[in-house]
């Protein structure tokens, strides 16, 4: 075991001088970032600013070209050469996607139990216990035998949250979790996320829900052109933005 | 008109017992070839989309060769050509099964490739993000969904291959068409017998269509 799990001052996520290119496009430029255990970090920025790419690098869904990323003592190196530690990181980092990405051929229950059974090696009874508890927690009851296509978008996203939590992650990544939802379903997903934040989960959230960010975030990070332009408490970033890029972005998104 | 022809139903019915002796061979070559072809298709279809060029290329070459040449030429090559290399004869049934397997395998490779590639990228990402290995992500998430989407195309290929076995009468396999030819040689009832042969093929292919439709409908749950 590593010491970082006991030592609360050691960040659970560290990015050091991370650079990433899509072809000639420099989408992450010398990103340095540390996230403490229990911290809720909301990343905002215009589309194409590199904010989704940033969190997708943390669990190795995107490769980067230079720098290093350490997640709970496990190091990711450039060009996806994480090897064993990549797999370890993915078992400890949960992710919720914009498009839910539930497995359409599996029941709600099987969506949640799949990874605990195949990765953690739990037996079906134990995995179902966990699934029942988590589905109840996200407010999906009596739907466990349905298939994803039979649920509303908001329900699907809450199942996706339960599915990620079933692996008992130490960190949760959210990639625009409400952007594909009808407006009336956004609240139920944000409620579930808020509850998770209150329970002390470490979270990195990419979202356009500024009200939610202001309320839940310990820290807001503004990303522009592949760089972290500004960061601070929600009050600092939203009420007294220092950088003109941040001011311009906020004036656009907060206007309505 | 002084020539009137009457369709002789009795002659048609009378040919049935003889024709039916060809059915087991037709089924054996069809389904034996298709079963092996399916395995070939899985392997080469996946090689075809491997990230390694060294694996992609041989698969692509195999697919192009066996998709781009007639199955009749393939079976003639195997049955008459290969023995020259091997120094001994090849059983006609084995040659037939091999030709169907190699030919259908090339088409099924493309069906497998298309099926796997049709699964949204997010499915793989969701599997990997849960800590599943790449193999498990494929096995539990990608493949079951891909297989379901492949069923109609696999059904088509099955029907095509069943009909292709009729060509193997030329190498003397005692399949359905061959039995018809043998029977006609002594009875001269070509019209009746070939109609019965056609109906028997139809019976086989319709049964397959029906079975696949059932399978597809069962598979629709959850999609």
């Amino acid at each position: 075991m590593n010491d970082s799990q006991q030592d609360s001052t050691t960040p659970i996520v560290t990015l050091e001088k991370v650079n990433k290119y899509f072809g000639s496009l420099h989408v992450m430029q010398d990103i340095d970032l540390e996230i403490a255990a229990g911290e809720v970090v909301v990343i905002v920025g215009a589309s194409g600013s590199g904010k989704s790419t940033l969190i997708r690098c943390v669990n190795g869904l995107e490769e980067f070209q230079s720098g290093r990323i350490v997640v709970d003592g496990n190091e990711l190196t450039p060009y996806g050469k994480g090897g064993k530690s990549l797999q370890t990181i993915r078992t400890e980092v949960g992710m919720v996607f914009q498009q839910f990405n539930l497995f359409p051929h599996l029941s709600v229950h099987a969506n949640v139990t799949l990874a605990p059974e195949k990765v953690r090696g739990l037996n079906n009874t134990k995995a179902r216990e966990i699934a029942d508890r988590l589905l109840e927690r996200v407010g999906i009851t009596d739907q466990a035998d349905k298939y994803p296509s039979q649920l509303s978008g908001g329900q699907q996203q809450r199942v996706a949250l339960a599915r990620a939590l079933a692996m008992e992650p130490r960190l949760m990544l959210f990639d625009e979790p409400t952007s594909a939802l009808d407006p009336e379903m956004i609240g139920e997903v944000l409620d579930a996320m808020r509850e998770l934040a209150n329970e002390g989960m470490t979270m990195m959230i990419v979202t356009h829900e500024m009200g939610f960010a202001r309320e839940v975030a310990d820290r807001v990070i503004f990303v522009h052109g592949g760089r972290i332009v500004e960061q601070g408490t929600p009050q600092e970033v939203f009420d007294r933005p220092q950088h003109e890029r941040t001011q311009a972005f906020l004036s656009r998104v907060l206007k309505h | 008109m002084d020539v009137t022809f009457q369709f002789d139903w009795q002659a048609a019915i009378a040919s049935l017992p003889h024709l039916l002796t060809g059915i087991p061979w037709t089924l054996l070559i069809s389904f034996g070839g298709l079963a092996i072809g399916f395995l070939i298709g899985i392997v080469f279809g996946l090689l075809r989309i491997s990230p390694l060029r060294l694996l992609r290329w041989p698969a692509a070459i195999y697919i192009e060769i066996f998709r781009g040449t007639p199955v009749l030429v393939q079976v003639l090559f195997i049955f008459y050509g290969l023995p020259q290399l091997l120094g001994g004869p090849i059983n006609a049934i084995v040659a037939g099964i091999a030709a169907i397997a190699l030919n259908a395998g090339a088409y099924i490779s493309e069906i497998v490739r298309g099926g796997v590639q049709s699964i949204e990228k997010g499915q793989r990402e969701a599997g990997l993000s849960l800590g599943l290995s790449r193999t498990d992500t494929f096995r539990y998430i990608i493949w079951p969904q891909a297989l379901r989407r492949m069923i109609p195309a696999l059904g088509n290929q099955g029907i095509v291959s069943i009909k292709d076995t009729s060509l193997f009468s030329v190498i003397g396999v005692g399949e359905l068409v061959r039995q018809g030819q043998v029977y006609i040689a002594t009875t001269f009832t070509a019209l009746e017998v070939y109609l019965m042969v056609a109906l028997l093929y139809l019976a086989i292919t319709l049964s397959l269509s029906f079975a696949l439709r059932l399978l597809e409908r069962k598979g629709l749950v959850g999609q």
Side-chain angles (χ1 to χ4, degrees), chain A residues 11-237:
Chain A
I12 189 166
V13 181
T14 306
L15 283 79
E16 273 175 25
K17 293 255 168 297
V18 174
N19 283 279
K20 174 172 178 63
Y21 301 82
F22 283 128
S24 61
L25 200 63
H26 199 172
V27 289
M28 282 174 70
Q29 305 192 25
D30 283 331
I31 297 282
D32 286 310
L33 183 61
E34 289 190 344
I35 292 177
E39 197 177 9
V40 177
V41 175
V42 171
I43 301 159
V44 300
S47 54
S49 59
K51 54 194 194 307
S52 284
T53 309
L54 195 162
I55 65 167
R56 286 164 58 85
C57 280
V58 171
N59 68 347
L61 287 184
E62 298 281 355
E63 295 177 355
F64 52 97
Q65 275 77 49
S66 71
R68 62 184 212 128
I69 297 176
V70 182
V71 181
D72 201 23
N74 301 289
E75 182 169 345
L76 285 178
T77 47
Y79 296 101
K81 298 198 183 77
K84 190 93 178 72
S85 64
L86 177 61
Q87 186 89 13
T88 310
I89 286 172
R90 285 172 173 165
T91 63
E92 294 185 7
V93 177
M95 189 164 199
V96 171
F97 299 86
Q98 182 176 352
Q99 301 295 339
F100 327 138
N101 296 348
L102 290 180
F103 308 131
H105 61 302
L106 299 178
S107 69
V108 164
H109 229 134
N111 264 274
V112 182
T113 57
L114 180 69
E117 284 180 27
K118 303 304 175 197
V119 181
R120 296 262 191 244
L122 298 186
N123 64 37
N124 188 257
T125 318
K126 187 84 185 78
R128 286 184 78 93
E129 272 174 37
I130 293 174
D132 286 336
R133 178 167 51 78
L134 288 169
L135 287 170
E136 195 186 326
R137 177 167 149 191
V138 299
I140 305 285
T141 46
D142 305 326
Q143 320 253 30
D145 294 324
K146 288 190 177 173
Y147 284 85
S149 61
Q150 298 169 294
L151 302 183
S152 74
Q155 288 172 326
Q156 288 190 50
Q157 192 61 302
R158 285 181 284 142
V159 172
L161 178 58
R163 178 177 71 176
L165 293 176
M167 287 297 286
E168 298 175 338
R170 300 191 21 93
L171 166 71
M172 279 294 300
L173 308 174
F174 293 86
D175 189 4
E176 303 201 26
T178 59
S179 297
L181 292 174
D182 291 335
E184 75 269 23
M185 292 173 183
I186 291 174
E188 64 195 58
V189 172
L190 294 182
D191 285 344
M193 291 169 63
R194 188 179 291 115
E195 197 176 313
L196 192 61
N198 290 338
E199 287 166 15
M201 175 64 77
T202 313
M203 298 161 77
M204 293 178 76
I205 305 167
V206 171
T207 185
H208 296 291
E209 297 293 329
M210 296 301 160
F212 175 77
R214 181 188 285 273
E215 177 198 347
V216 170
D218 296 312
R219 180 160 40 137
V220 174
I221 293 177
F222 175 68
V223 177
H224 180 85
R227 290 180 188 279
I228 294 178
V229 170
E230 185 164 355
Q231 56 180 312
T233 64
Q235 290 72 31
E236 286 167 348
V237 174

Side-chain angles (χ1 to χ4, degrees), chain A residues 102-107 111 146-151 156, chain B residues 115 118-120 123 140-152 215-223:
Chain A
L102 290 180
F103 308 131
H105 61 302
L106 299 178
S107 69
N111 264 274
K146 288 190 177 173
Y147 284 85
S149 61
Q150 298 169 294
L151 302 183
Q156 288 190 50
Chain B
S118 78
I119 304 302
E120 299 70 21
Q123 291 291 307
Y140 297 113
I141 297 167
I142 309 292
W143 181 249
Q145 295 184 61
L147 191 59
R148 230 168 252 188
R149 291 191 192 175
M150 283 156 47
I151 289 175
L215 196 65
E216 214 178 329
R217 198 169 307 160
K218 248 179 91 184
L220 277 179
V221 183
Q223 283 282 17

Side-chain angles (χ1 to χ4, degrees), chain B residues 34-47:
Chain B
L34 281 167
I36 300 168
F38 186 53
L39 296 178
I40 293 175
I42 292 173
V43 172
F44 282 82
L46 296 181
L47 289 179

